[in-house]
Amino acid sequence: MNRAADPLDIVWSRPLPEGAQPSTVTVSQDAAGRWFVSMLCDDRPAMPGPVSTGVGIDAGVTSLVTLSTGEKVTNPKFERKDRARLARAQRDLARKAKGDGSNRAKARRKAAKVHARISDRRRDFLHKLTTRLVRENQTIVIEDLTVRNMVKNHSLARAVSDASWTEMRSMLEYKAGWYGREVIAVDRWFPSSKLCSHCGTLQGRMPLNVRTWRCDNCGTTHDRDVNAAKNILAEGLSVTVCGAGVRPQRSTPGGQSATKQKTPRREP
């Protein structure tokens, strides 16, 4: 006689819509040994209506994003918090001989669980952040960052990867499609940090360790990241209104025209 099966310890990511009938059910298992059941059903909740606000986003390492409103969202640094645990799991895996089947598989799964913990927490945080930004703003302006080139810098590679800017941009773009919002990417060469958002004066060289600076022309004191986010928003809106390549003439503190920057392009 067979015993009744024990109930499964199921964790629901969210409840099924009332009265919904799943049309497709997909069962999968990840490297950490966890099982997932994905149900496809018709769920069309009421979407928020259009809003008139826009926001510029300056991505960073200490602050994951700085908004043109002045808000700074601290980078949780999930990989850094679990770095010691991950290192131990990877060392244990490296010590297992390749022929030691069960012990090596157990060590591999232990390391995979740490990786899964990091990626799950990061993804959850990014989902909450991007959903809020898309729901609250009609236009979202970001920088067109080349992450693959940035990770070649060995001193920044780990921090850049942990920030996961590429995943955040992807979430913003597909959620904007759901909510009828617009995401604009400003050219990576646009001098957002060195441009005074108050008078439009382009400053000279500005090393990364300079976090606060004062405009030589109008005397306004800027937080580097907030100023950059304001400039990113203004540049993105000018592209929307005037078209790519149309921008006011900028001047240096000496009164000479600033070097022409590459034209920002609007992402499809």
Side-chain angles (χ1 to χ4, degrees):
M1 182 174 179
N2 295 329
R3 292 188 306 168
D6 294 330
L8 296 176
D9 185 16
I10 298 176
V11 178
W12 293 89
S13 60
R14 58 176 174 170
L16 287 174
E18 187 176 352
Q21 295 294 327
S23 59
T24 305
V25 178
T26 304
V27 180
S28 59
Q29 184 183 31
D30 67 3
R34 302 176 303 176
W35 289 93
F36 295 87
V37 178
S38 175
M39 300 183 184
L40 179 63
C41 56
D42 188 8
D43 179 20
R44 302 183 185 182
M47 292 295 181
V51 292
S52 59
T53 55
V55 67
I57 300 177
D58 179 63
V61 174
T62 303
S63 296
L64 180 64
V65 294
T66 300
L67 308 182
S68 53
T69 58
E71 179 186 353
K72 292 189 175 185
V73 179
T74 304
N75 185 356
K77 299 180 180 178
F78 294 115
E79 187 273 341
R80 190 174 196 178
K81 292 178 180 178
D82 279 344
R83 189 172 295 173
R85 182 184 301 181
L86 179 61
R88 284 196 301 270
Q90 290 175 330
R91 283 197 300 269
D92 290 343
L93 176 60
R95 292 192 189 104
K96 304 301 180 184
K98 290 190 176 181
D100 192 1
S102 59
N103 287 335
R104 185 173 175 82
K106 195 179 299 182
R108 186 188 297 111
R109 181 161 296 182
K110 185 177 179 181
K113 285 182 178 179
V114 181
H115 276 294
R117 169 184 162 87
I118 295 170
S119 61
D120 286 351
R121 294 167 71 201
R122 181 191 294 128
R123 192 179 303 112
D124 179 69
F125 179 84
L126 291 177
H127 270 302
K128 291 174 180 176
L129 174 62
T130 54
T131 297
R132 176 171 72 89
L133 291 173
V134 170
R135 290 180 69 93
E136 294 177 354
N137 298 280
Q138 185 65 34
T139 304
I140 301 167
V141 188
I142 59 177
E143 291 179 285
D144 185 20
L145 299 173
T146 51
V147 176
R148 69 166 65 91
N149 291 338
M150 298 175 74
V151 295
K152 293 178 182 178
N153 183 333
H154 298 298
S155 61
L156 292 175
R158 203 162 194 169
V160 170
S161 298
D162 195 20
S164 197
W165 296 329
T166 301
E167 186 173 8
M168 180 173 65
R169 173 173 176 172
S170 175
M171 290 181 181
L172 285 172
E173 289 176 338
Y174 74 70
K175 289 179 184 182
W178 292 350
Y179 288 85
R181 309 307 198 211
E182 183 178 31
V183 175
I184 300 171
V186 171
D187 191 275
R188 65 182 67 98
W189 300 110
F190 175 63
S192 58
S193 297
K194 299 189 294 182
L195 190 67
C196 176
S197 59
H198 185 261
C199 69
T201 300
L202 185 65
Q203 305 298 303
R205 184 175 176 272
M206 190 177 296
L208 285 174
N209 63 335
V210 177
R211 309 313 304 173
T212 304
W213 58 276
R214 186 172 181 271
C215 178
D216 297 333
N217 185 54
C218 67
T220 304
T221 300
H222 295 290
D223 177 286
R224 179 190 183 114
D225 298 333
V226 175
N227 177 69
K230 290 180 179 178
N231 285 323
I232 289 169
L233 174 61
E235 186 73 359
L237 294 179
S238 72
V239 171
T240 301
V241 175
C242 305
V246 179
R247 65 177 66 172
Q249 182 67 38
R250 304 188 183 93
S251 60
T252 61
Q256 297 179 348
S257 297
T259 303
K260 186 177 181 181
Q261 303 296 325
K262 292 188 177 182
T263 303
R265 60 178 179 275
R266 181 175 172 181
E267 294 295 323

